[in-house]
Amino acid sequence: MEVYQGKSILKGIAIGKLFFYQKGEQSVKREKIQDTAAELRRYEAAREEAIAQLNVLYEKAVKEVGEVNAAVFEVHAMMLEDDDYVDSIVNIIETQQVNAEFAVATTGDNFAAMFAEMDDDYFKARAVDVKDISERLVNVLSGRNNGGDLGAEPVIVVADDLAPSETVQMDKEKLLAFVTRYGSSNSHTAILARTMNIPALIGVEIQEDWNGKLAVVDGYEGKLYIEPEEEVLTKMQQKQREDLEARELLEQLRGKEDVTLDGKKIRLYANIGSVKDVAGVLANDAAGIGLFRSEFLYLEADDYPDEEAQFQAYKTVAENMAGKKVIVRTLDIGADKQVDYFHMEEEENPAMGYRAIRICLDRPEIFKTQLRALLRASAYGNIAIMYPMIISVDEVRQIKAIVEEIKQELDAKEIRYGEVEQGIMIETPAAVMISDLLAQEVDFFSIGTNDLTQYTLAIDRQNMKLDNIYDAHHPAVLRMIQTTIDNGHQHGCWVGICGELGADMTLTETFLKMGIDELSVSPSFVLPIRKLIRQIRL
Ligand code: PEP
Ligand code: MG
């Protein structure tokens, strides 16, 4: 047995085999081959296998996210049959007498470069698709697995690091835990692990030869046991059973009010990143959704999700929540959330860069598509819209003008939409300092403590080395929260917290005393916090 220490992201125990996750991108070596006919057969078999994989993915995606969103897999399968693409690969194998991996990678790069240079957004976007199918083919040829494909059995995923876009594509049914060498506890990958209620360790000295070995992740102690001794295994299985029992006890709180002993009611909502997370919200009996990180719809896709795909997603969430509030945050990409098809330039300082509402106001066609989808979906439930990374009153006014414009367009076409509350995230010190002015423009504030902490303390939330001093309990952060609540209330706004600090149970009483109206937390934290709220007297 070997034991490794890491930093835990979520308390919980996972027992299972380790699976070494390989990044999609990999270098392909050029190798001379003797038997071109055999190499062509090998290529043809791989192509058929890749098409079969895509057909399976298509069927699965149709069930999970609907036909419109699934169409990308169908398109990819068709691209693998494209004559020009196939001819180029065959030609390279035959004329250069090289391995199929090299021929595929070269063709993929050439076609992607050609598409990227075209003066047409549609073709530009195809560059990503052609890279994707080429990568899949190379993976099949070299016997490597494709990113999101975790195999048949549930596994503990091990990786150097995981980007949010990689994490969202993994099959949640197959994920027992994450273990990574890098990463910070405030990154979006860590937040996703909490949302999915999956134990995760970061900062572990991982080793490639662990692949396939039995392991235990102890999210209470931050420990990883490789090939655990019988005694450890028994103890951890016992702990897992206790967790389950504790969970069953919490179940008794389902249907109960979120109210203190002296009668102060609070809205206890949940955070989600995808339509699938709604199941966790309902299972944990949250009173609403306080943060739907809509950018994950973009991260999961290979191309800009169109209005219809987004409308379906928001409508599904609104309908499943059956009249309970669903606060959708508009696109917040940038920093650690990178989407290939946005073709964003590298930045010196992405956390303070071209991101979130800045992109939306700069590229209104993207923003308007999302707003139209949201307004249309609002006819099917209780949707509110929230804007991220606000720093000025002017931004809010620009946004409101765009929303009005879209409402008029919908009116003209006699398309229905509901009464939609509009709010902003308070996650910059600038927003806190002018929260009295901002409150006069919007219906609510939701404090994003993850970013607010990073910008207040000038500590990059992604920087693993600074994880220990990234202190969301810093008095400066707590004063920012109090100021926001006071200014919000003075000018008729309700105020919530949707950052990770909202789930910090050592602060629940403090937040209630500060006058907070709403807390929005990862679904699995709802019932423990309900239990606590019901024991507090203010
Ligand atoms: C936050 O910054 O606190 C927040 C909720 O947004 P995100 O973590 O997605 O940046
Ligand atoms: Mg944020």
Side-chain angles (χ1 to χ4, degrees):
M1 176 175 83
E2 287 172 58
V3 189
Y4 292 81
Q5 185 68 45
K7 184 166 180 184
S8 172
I9 298 297
L10 184 93
K11 294 193 171 79
I13 308 285
I15 304 173
K17 292 224 170 101
L18 295 166
F19 175 93
F20 216 86
Y21 176 82
Q22 278 151 340
K23 297 269 171 201
E25 287 199 11
Q26 48 215 239
S27 57
V28 170
K29 288 203 188 79
R30 184 180 199 275
E31 286 165 20
K32 270 275 172 206
I33 46 121
Q34 303 301 330
D35 188 348
T36 40
E39 198 62 10
L40 285 172
R41 281 198 298 277
R42 199 167 77 83
Y43 157 66
E44 193 45 47
R47 194 171 70 96
E48 277 168 23
E49 164 63 22
I51 292 174
Q53 280 182 2
L54 286 163
N55 290 338
V56 171
L57 279 175
Y58 174 74
E59 295 300 330
K60 180 169 174 285
V62 168
K63 283 194 209 109
E64 289 182 3
V65 291
E67 238 168 78
V68 181
N69 293 310
V72 61
F73 297 117
E74 212 177 18
V75 172
H76 281 191
M78 273 154 55
M79 286 173 88
L80 283 170
E81 316 246 25
D82 178 78
D83 285 345
D84 292 339
Y85 181 77
V86 172
D87 288 351
S88 165
I89 295 167
V90 170
N91 188 38
I92 293 175
I93 295 175
E94 281 176 342
T95 56
Q96 300 186 28
Q97 294 193 314
V98 287
N99 53 330
E101 286 89 338
F102 180 78
V104 170
T106 308
T107 302
D109 286 350
N110 291 344
F111 275 59
M114 187 174 75
F115 283 133
E117 274 168 23
M118 286 174 130
D119 192 19
D120 179 310
D121 280 350
Y122 175 81
F123 283 111
K124 272 201 170 80
R126 299 285 76 75
V128 179
D129 293 324
V130 82
K131 274 198 154 169
D132 211 57
I133 59 164
S134 306
E135 228 164 60
R136 179 174 295 280
L137 257 180
V138 170
N139 285 342
V140 175
L141 281 162
S142 52
R144 288 183 271 216
N145 45 45
N146 279 293
D149 188 0
L150 301 180
E153 293 294 314
V155 287
I156 298 170
V157 169
V158 187
D160 268 335
D161 200 0
L162 287 168
S165 57
E166 292 169 317
T167 316
V168 286
Q169 291 186 31
M170 289 179 185
D171 183 348
K172 295 167 188 65
E173 304 287 306
K174 306 270 175 63
L175 255 182
L176 296 173
F178 293 124
V179 178
T180 63
R181 188 193 302 271
Y182 306 112
S184 79
S185 39
N186 307 295
S187 67
H188 284 93
T189 299
I191 290 172
L192 272 173
R194 282 186 213 113
T195 306
M196 297 190 277
N197 199 25
I198 287 174
L201 302 181
I202 55 172
V204 178
E205 277 305 315
I206 60 165
Q207 284 157 36
E208 273 201 41
D209 66 357
W210 288 353
N211 205 21
K213 289 187 177 168
L214 181 69
V216 173
V217 170
D218 176 357
Y220 290 94
E221 302 292 335
K223 286 197 164 66
L224 173 71
Y225 298 89
I226 310 281
E227 298 186 321
E229 285 164 1
E230 205 47 46
E231 198 185 325
V232 171
L233 202 57
T234 313
K235 196 171 132 205
M236 293 297 157
Q237 283 164 339
Q238 171 65 19
K239 185 84 192 89
Q240 254 185 338
R241 277 194 294 274
E242 284 167 18
D243 279 357
L244 201 68
E245 280 163 22
R247 196 68 222 160
E248 279 163 11
L249 266 180
L250 283 173
E251 288 290 309
Q252 295 172 3
L253 287 164
R254 285 176 55 88
K256 298 257 163 65
E257 268 191 315
D258 299 304
V259 60
T260 61
L261 287 172
D262 45 350
K264 157 122 183 147
K265 282 197 190 142
I266 174 146
R267 307 181 199 182
L268 190 51
Y269 290 175
N271 295 346
I272 64 167
S274 83
V275 178
K276 277 181 266 168
D277 296 335
V278 176
V281 177
L282 296 173
N284 287 284
D285 194 35
I289 290 173
L291 169 63
F292 178 178
R293 289 183 163 93
S294 70
E295 57 276 7
F296 286 111
L297 294 177
Y298 293 72
L299 285 166
E300 278 169 348
D302 289 344
D303 201 350
Y304 296 95
D306 62 16
E307 183 182 319
E308 196 53 32
Q310 291 195 57
F311 164 69
Q312 290 298 343
Y314 305 139
K315 174 172 174 272
T316 305
V317 174
E319 284 179 338
N320 287 342
M321 291 301 292
K324 290 182 179 152
K325 186 162 298 292
V326 176
I327 304 178
V328 183
R329 172 178 73 190
T330 57
L331 180 64
D332 182 13
I333 60 158
D336 63 328
K337 287 176 285 193
Q338 291 294 333
V339 187
D340 286 349
Y341 54 84
F342 271 75
H343 302 294
M344 303 226 284
E345 282 169 23
E346 288 241 335
E347 292 179 296
E348 286 273 316
N349 201 343
M352 296 201 195
Y354 188 64
R355 56 173 294 198
I357 202 67
R358 300 167 187 179
I359 299 179
C360 289
L361 290 175
D362 187 49
R363 298 184 61 183
E365 72 289 357
I366 296 177
F367 195 32
K368 284 182 181 170
T369 302
Q370 178 168 40
L371 290 172
R372 257 193 307 271
L374 279 167
L375 283 170
R376 284 174 53 204
S378 69
Y380 299 85
N382 185 359
I383 285 187
I385 310 180
M386 169 159 85
Y387 309 103
M389 286 293 293
I390 295 295
I391 57 166
S392 73
V393 170
D394 182 54
E395 283 169 340
V396 179
R397 292 196 177 143
Q398 281 185 59
I399 295 166
K400 285 181 2 189
I402 296 174
V403 172
E404 274 318 302
E405 195 186 304
I406 294 173
K407 282 185 178 170
Q408 280 170 19
E409 275 171 33
L410 294 176
D411 287 340
K413 292 185 187 154
E414 295 186 5
I415 297 175
R416 285 190 307 135
Y417 55 86
E419 287 281 322
V420 173
E421 268 196 319
Q422 292 185 75
I424 56 171
M425 293 200 62
I426 300 288
E427 48 187 350
T428 62
V432 176
M433 297 310 288
I434 57 165
S435 48
D436 54 334
L437 305 176
L438 292 167
Q440 296 169 47
E441 302 287 332
V442 295
D443 301 309
F444 66 93
F445 286 160
S446 186
I447 307 175
T449 50
N450 309 332
D451 277 316
L452 186 59
T453 305
Q454 102 163 323
Y455 297 125
T456 302
L457 304 183
I459 294 178
D460 179 357
R461 65 193 264 194
Q462 291 292 115
N463 192 328
M464 195 181 166
K465 282 209 193 97
L466 304 178
D467 229 19
N468 291 339
I469 57 165
Y470 175 100
D471 175 18
H473 288 218
H474 193 293
V477 177
L478 297 179
R479 284 190 191 186
M480 293 261 178
I481 296 173
Q482 183 70 72
T483 303
T484 305
I485 296 171
D486 293 345
N487 279 335
H489 286 174
Q490 220 165 35
H491 297 279
C493 267
W494 62 263
V495 184
I497 296 178
C498 64
E500 297 295 286
L501 198 64
D504 185 330
M505 290 167 62
T506 64
L507 286 176
T508 308
E509 187 166 348
T510 307
F511 292 145
L512 290 174
K513 287 195 166 130
M514 283 179 166
I516 203 79
D517 303 296
E518 177 238 31
L519 291 173
S520 190
V521 299
S522 296
S524 65
F525 287 84
V526 169
L527 292 176
I529 295 178
R530 174 168 300 163
K531 183 166 181 235
L532 180 57
I533 289 171
R534 294 173 63 84
Q535 291 162 356
I536 290 174
R537 188 179 298 280
L538 294 174

